Amino acid sequence: MIFFDVPNFIPPGKSAYRIVSMDGGGIYGLATALLLKKTIDDKNSPQDFLARQTVHLFSGTSAGAINALLLAKEEDPRAFVIGGGLDEFWRQSGTFANEKNPIDAFWSWFGLTAWLGTLDFQELLRQTFGDMTFRELKNNVLVATFDWSGVDGRHWRPRFFSNGHEADLNRRVADVAYGAASPPGLRALVDGLGDAGIFAPDPCTNAVAAVINYLGKDDPGQYLKHVFALSVGVATRQPFYWLKQFNLGMLPFYFWLPTNPFTGDYYPPGVQSVLNGPTDDTVWECKNLLGERYHRLSPRVIGPPNLPPTLIATSWARFPWWQQYLIGEITKTLDSTTAMDSVVDTAKYLKNQWN
């Protein structure tokens, strides 16, 4: 269930309610940050895109949740993106390092503890957000997580955090950010919260539903026509399984065999499907709900043979030399003609539909 019940979520008198939604994608969260910066820089882009109060809701899953919270804490998100603050987060080693707890780091090599460091990431988030609570955020935000501990210990469930929900206002931003970007196995869970990529790798539909729930759930059609959404992905190609016919048991399919050895997808498909799910369903839903008021920015340019799949890239980003290599390659890849054409299309959408 999505809770979004605090007044003033949308400034009164507005006829357009704008959402910027951001996908999960590990280290490729950097691509989202760079795509936003390139969109701002494009000559067709409106001069107020991402400026204060021009976006009514930032939403995100996993890496997208981090990006959403970083933008939500800024007085002027546009200036923050232009100044490189958003992409700078992904250039810091603490995002994926595992150096501060040598015992955990040792056992992680045997798969007995989480691969990415808990203390490293927590320290980076504390440096970034301090003791800021959701009440102190400057912009509205909706963060998707998965609550493994469940409701009163009864069942696990999707869980959303927002400064539009009274019960979340005293939550520390750094704590929610940690849970939102912690896939079980890759990072230790704290307080039962984990990565929402298991059910919402693209949270745009959730964000649209949250807005409608606030504006008027009894007559959603009346308000839906005022909702605009820009959905920003991580520009990655989705994996695919290498066999069309197979008779495999649970052990080889979920634990032993790679998804596709020819494309570098060495994680088994059971892991891939949980942590790198498709976003096509959400894109289809949002297109049908919003029509021309919806736009998707996610050129499929990142992936084999030039860059590794999301899970490989994120896992190996534990090593600083690999993280720096990926940063350079992502930056170059997003300068490709295909990526820049998508940026131009997005800038034109913003100019023609966003205002």
Side-chain angles (χ1 to χ4, degrees), residues 15 96 109 111 118 143 162 174 186 217 254 287 311-312 321 326 343 348 355:
S15 59
F96 303 104
W109 286 96
T118 301
V143 173
S162 171
L186 280 184
K217 58 186 175 183
Y254 285 95
K287 280 183 177 179
L311 286 178
I312 295 290
W321 60 270
L326 285 175
V343 168
K348 290 179 178 178
N355 292 325

Side-chain angles (χ1 to χ4, degrees), residues 236-270:
T236 56
R237 306 184 191 101
Q238 288 292 319
F240 60 95
Y241 196 56
W242 68 302
L243 295 176
K244 290 188 176 181
Q245 314 237 0
F246 54 90
N247 179 13
L248 300 173
M250 294 185 68
L251 284 176
F253 189 75
Y254 285 95
F255 301 103
W256 292 347
L257 298 182
T259 297
N260 195 328
F262 301 107
T263 60
D265 281 306
Y266 299 118
Y267 280 92

Side-chain angles (χ1 to χ4, degrees), residues 83-103:
L86 191 59
D87 57 273
E88 178 59 28
F89 180 89
W90 303 103
R91 303 176 190 274
Q92 301 177 77
S93 62
T95 317
F96 303 104
N98 193 347
E99 299 174 352
K100 294 190 178 298
N101 189 327
I103 295 176

